[in-house]
């Protein structure tokens, strides 16, 4: 499994379980609708008043699990990254990626407190338990961005 195949797998899914830590370190998880860029950046929208937004603002490290929900398909991606709230041209580009996946996205722009979160990957693990032996691929940030460590 190469990077482009993992990216294709991620693009066949629209929902992810996202996990953050609260101010006191308690785990918190939520399901989010997401889009993913060619650079493996995840983008999703949420309200600034949500626990996830508050958690991200105090500790931008978060994780996702994607896949594993389709019957007889035991493939998942575990994804760890660092979140931010882009502005300006960066935000506009990310919104376009998000709206391509969620055409109803622009209708939520009027919601008070709506924010867009971008997550830059630090690590991901693709696991395919449909095959025997299972196929496991781990990629770090420098491998996802074609940078040298």
């Amino acid at each position: 499994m190469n990077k482009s195949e993992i990216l294709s797998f991620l693009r066949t899914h629209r929902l992810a379980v996202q996990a953050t830590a609260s101010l006191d370190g308690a785990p918190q998880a939520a399901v989010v609708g997401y889009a993913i860029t060619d650079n493996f950046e995840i983008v999703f929208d949420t309200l600034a008043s949500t626990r996830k937004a508050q958690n991200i603002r105090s500790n931008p490290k978060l994780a996702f699990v994607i896949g594993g929900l389709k019957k007889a398909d035991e493939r998942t991606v575990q994804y760890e990254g660092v979140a931010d709230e882009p502005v300006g041209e960066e935000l506009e580009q990310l919104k376009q990626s998000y709206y391509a996946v969620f055409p109803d996205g622009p209708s939520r722009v009027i919601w008070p407190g709506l924010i867009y979160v971008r997550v830059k990957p630090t690590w991901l693990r693709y696991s395919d338990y449909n095959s025997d032996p299972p196929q496991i691929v781990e990629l770090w940030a420098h491998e996802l961005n074609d940078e040298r460590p």
Side-chain angles (χ1 to χ4, degrees), residues 33-87:
Y34 76 93
I36 190 156
T37 70
D38 292 342
N39 294 324
F40 287 86
E41 295 174 328
I42 288 179
V43 60
F44 63 93
D45 67 4
T46 190
L47 297 175
S49 60
T50 61
R51 295 188 316 169
K52 75 177 90 48
Q54 294 169 15
N55 294 346
I56 289 167
R57 286 176 172 168
S58 67
N59 177 359
K61 296 177 183 176
L62 69 161
F64 297 90
V65 175
I66 299 164
L69 298 175
K70 296 177 183 175
K71 187 175 181 172
D73 186 1
E74 296 184 30
R75 295 178 297 159
T76 61
V77 168
Q78 295 165 260
Y79 178 114
E80 295 176 0
V82 179
D84 67 359
E85 294 177 48
V87 295

Side-chain angles (χ1 to χ4, degrees), residues 28 30 40 58-59 88 94 96 110 125:
Q28 295 178 340
F40 287 86
S58 67
N59 177 359
L94 289 167
Q96 295 313 307
I110 60 170
R125 176 184 169 131

Side-chain angles (χ1 to χ4, degrees), residues 108-130:
R108 292 191 292 277
V109 172
I110 60 170
W111 292 5
L114 185 75
I115 63 171
Y116 293 85
V117 177
R118 169 184 50 196
V119 184
K120 295 181 178 182
T122 56
W123 172 86
L124 71 76
R125 176 184 169 131
Y126 171 83
S127 301
D128 180 353
Y129 290 96
N130 292 336

Side-chain angles (χ1 to χ4, degrees), residues 3 121-122 139-149:
K3 284 184 354 181
T122 56
L139 297 170
W140 294 89
H142 68 275
E143 297 168 300
L144 294 166
N145 297 317
D146 295 322
E147 299 171 1
R148 302 237 179 246

